[in-house]
Each structure stands twice: as C-alpha cells, then as structure tokens.
Amino acid sequence: MMKKAVQLYFLLFAIFYSHAQSNATRFFYELSFKPKKDSSKIQKAIGILDISEKESIYKDYNLVAQDSILIQAAEKMHKSGIFYDIGKSIKWPSFTFKIKKEYPDMKTIFVDGISQKYFGYIDSTPQNWKIEKETDKILGFSAQKATLDFGGRKWVAWFTNEIQYSDGPYKFHGLPGLIVKIEDTKGNYSWVLSGIKKITNFSELSFTERISGFNDVNIISRDKFLKAYNSFKNDPFSEARSKITAEMRSSKMPGSNITVGELLSQQEKRVLDFFKSNDNPIEIK
C-alpha cells in the first residue's frame, strides 16, 4: 500500500515537471499579523504574489519553499519502503489558502482545502479605493497613499506606479500600480513588499499542491464555502475517520511502529491546534 502511494507521488512529480510552464515575477511580502484577536502577540510570515502574463497567484511562501524536502522524503520512502512522518520535519504554513486573479478583468478566486478536497469561490466584492495626496518611499519605490473599506476593516495602502501591475497581496487590487504596503488601521494585518525575483519555468502549482489535489477545485458560492469551512474547522477529520475501519486503524505503517490510527490522531491534533491558534481572520464580514 505504501509503495503504491509513493509511486503515485512520482507519477504526479513527472506530470508536474512536464506541465507547460512560463515566466513570472515573484513579489515577496513580509506579513505581520495577530493570529488571536484578543492578544497583542504578533506573528510573521512571508507571502508571495506571482504575476505571470495571464494571472497572479497569492499564497503563503511555505506552500512552495518546502517542495525539495517533500520530494526528498518521497524518494527516500520509495527506495526503502519505510514510512516517514514528513509532517514533523516541515514548517506548516501560516495560511493554507490561495488567491488567483485572472487578467485582465481581475476575476478573483479564493481557494482552500476542506476535508480531503479543495473548494473555491469567486469574490466580486468591489474595492472602492480613495487615493490620497500623501507620498512616501517604500523599498526604494515612490509610493502614494490610498484607503479602502474591505472585509469589515479599514485599510491604508501604499502603491507605486513604478511597477505597472494593478495588483497586490491577498485579494487587494485596483490601484494604478502595485501595492507595496497595506495594513488595517487597528494593526491586525500588515503586508510590506520585501523583495522581487524573476521566476523562470513558472508553474501555478507547486509539487506540494499537485500531490494534494490543488489542481482539482470545486467552485461554489461564498456562503456555501464559509458554511462548509466552519464545519470543517470544528471536526477536520470526520470524513477521513468514516473511511478507516477498525482493522485499518490498528495496522502499522510500513517499517514503522506507528499505527494508522495513531498517525491519524497526530495529524488531527496538528490541524486542530492550527485552527485554535488562529481566530482573527483577515476579513471579519
């Protein structure tokens, strides 16, 4: 069973690298945020905005950065036939969602995992920016101030027309230049451009995303998505448990003393801990 699973990894790996690729520009944003709404604790993460000819993709950099670790682990399991709990050796992303904006109409699609599948919704919420006269320098770029009410928060952004993309981190877009800094007025979330890199052989999906099924997304309404996602957060492994028999739970992973049931419990704790430690969403309505 384990060898078949690893063989599937390598099949997907081959598909990934044979997939049509293009060039893109990657914009790195340092994200400072409060994961708990009743706490002053600030966490940091790196988000990336990959802009290619026809679209942009925003996501947590950890969804991309650890591809090599997962590939090496898959190769090791394939050669040895022994199971390794990869979850212990990688850094979990601060955010699991991905946001695609399709050019030129800026159709915005929000995607995240719910149970064992990926779902998304189209966000057509208007972003009615107010451009101010105030200017500043950010990462060496001349920037101008703009304000916005979005998702139940008031935002202050700085954009530069020295980079001709009407785009920005998360769902933000619509200004006459790239957003180089944006934060809400109460200090819950702040993105600041921290670097730029040209990406050759760019693909929308990382290896990690391909093996997890990110290329098969079910688009539903926003209301249905939020209802399903909230239910998933309360019991993230309900679907997985229903498919595992008592006999399967007691069986051991190949070359390991850990049982399927123990592995499931460990994974469930990781996911529940993640949700419990993050109760301050970017959008509050």
Side-chain angles (χ1 to χ4, degrees):
M1 176 69 73
M2 188 61 198
K3 285 193 174 182
K4 286 184 178 180
V6 176
Q7 287 169 355
L8 177 61
Y9 265 51
F10 279 91
L11 173 61
L12 291 168
F13 175 79
I15 293 172
F16 169 61
Y17 280 103
S18 63
H19 185 70
Q21 297 174 325
S22 60
N23 296 328
T25 303
R26 175 166 292 170
F27 296 92
F28 294 85
Y29 288 87
E30 181 177 87
L31 169 60
S32 303
F33 66 101
K34 292 181 181 179
K36 300 286 288 184
K37 57 188 175 184
D38 57 352
S39 172
S40 60
K41 180 182 178 182
I42 298 292
Q43 287 189 10
K44 291 186 179 293
I46 297 295
I48 52 173
L49 179 69
D50 291 335
I51 298 181
S52 58
E53 182 181 0
K54 296 182 178 180
E55 64 186 19
S56 71
I57 303 290
Y58 175 81
K59 56 191 169 187
D60 190 305
Y61 183 49
N62 275 330
L63 290 173
V64 176
Q66 299 178 110
D67 267 7
S68 60
I69 296 174
L70 293 172
I71 292 170
Q72 290 172 8
E75 290 175 343
K76 190 175 181 179
M77 286 188 286
H78 178 66
K79 292 177 181 178
S80 66
I82 298 174
F83 169 76
Y84 296 95
D85 186 359
I86 303 173
K88 294 180 179 179
S89 60
I90 64 173
K91 183 178 180 181
W92 291 80
S94 298
F95 299 91
T96 58
F97 62 76
K98 179 176 73 172
I99 295 169
K100 177 193 286 191
K101 304 185 193 94
E102 297 178 351
Y103 295 164
D105 61 356
M106 300 305 285
K107 178 181 177 182
T108 302
I109 305 170
F110 182 99
V111 177
D112 207 343
I114 299 177
S115 189
Q116 298 176 339
K117 297 179 181 179
Y118 284 93
F119 292 86
Y121 65 86
I122 297 170
D123 193 335
S124 55
T125 306
Q127 296 186 19
N128 300 314
W129 293 96
K130 180 182 178 182
I131 297 178
E132 311 284 353
K133 294 182 179 180
E134 189 175 346
T135 60
D136 200 355
K137 280 277 189 180
I138 297 174
L139 200 69
F141 295 105
S142 297
Q144 189 170 353
K145 184 179 180 180
T147 57
L148 171 71
D149 288 346
F150 180 81
R153 299 188 191 276
K154 295 183 181 297
W155 300 89
V156 176
W158 298 85
F159 68 94
T160 179
N161 56 21
E162 294 176 19
I163 304 178
Q164 289 294 315
Y165 291 118
S166 180
D167 211 333
Y170 190 59
K171 297 178 181 178
F172 300 113
H173 68 276
L175 286 166
L178 185 76
I179 295 171
V180 291
K181 181 178 180 179
I182 183 167
E183 56 191 357
D184 74 287
T185 55
K186 294 187 177 180
N188 290 280
Y189 285 88
S190 172
W191 287 268
V192 182
L193 183 68
S194 59
I196 304 172
K197 180 180 180 181
K198 292 292 184 181
I199 305 294
T200 57
N201 296 324
F202 169 75
S203 178
E204 175 186 332
L205 298 176
S206 67
F207 174 68
T208 307
E209 291 170 318
R210 285 188 176 277
I211 63 176
S212 62
F214 228 134
N215 59 337
D216 185 15
V217 178
N218 300 287
I219 301 297
I220 57 178
S221 71
R222 187 174 189 268
D223 287 344
K224 287 183 177 179
F225 177 93
L226 294 176
K227 183 178 179 180
Y229 192 73
N230 288 331
S231 177
F232 168 64
K233 287 196 298 183
N234 291 329
D235 190 1
F237 278 70
S238 60
E239 184 176 345
R241 282 197 305 273
S242 67
K243 296 179 180 179
I244 298 178
T245 64
E247 182 180 0
M248 291 172 62
R249 290 184 67 89
S250 61
S251 63
K252 292 184 178 181
M253 300 299 293
S256 172
N257 289 324
I258 188 172
T259 66
V260 172
E262 289 169 340
L263 178 64
L264 183 65
S265 295
Q266 290 177 8
Q267 297 291 348
E268 184 171 13
K269 184 178 184 304
R270 288 172 186 160
V271 176
L272 285 172
D273 286 347
F274 172 81
F275 286 134
K276 288 177 181 178
S277 62
N278 293 270
D279 68 353
N280 187 26
I282 298 171
E283 298 177 58
I284 53 179
K285 70 174 185 179

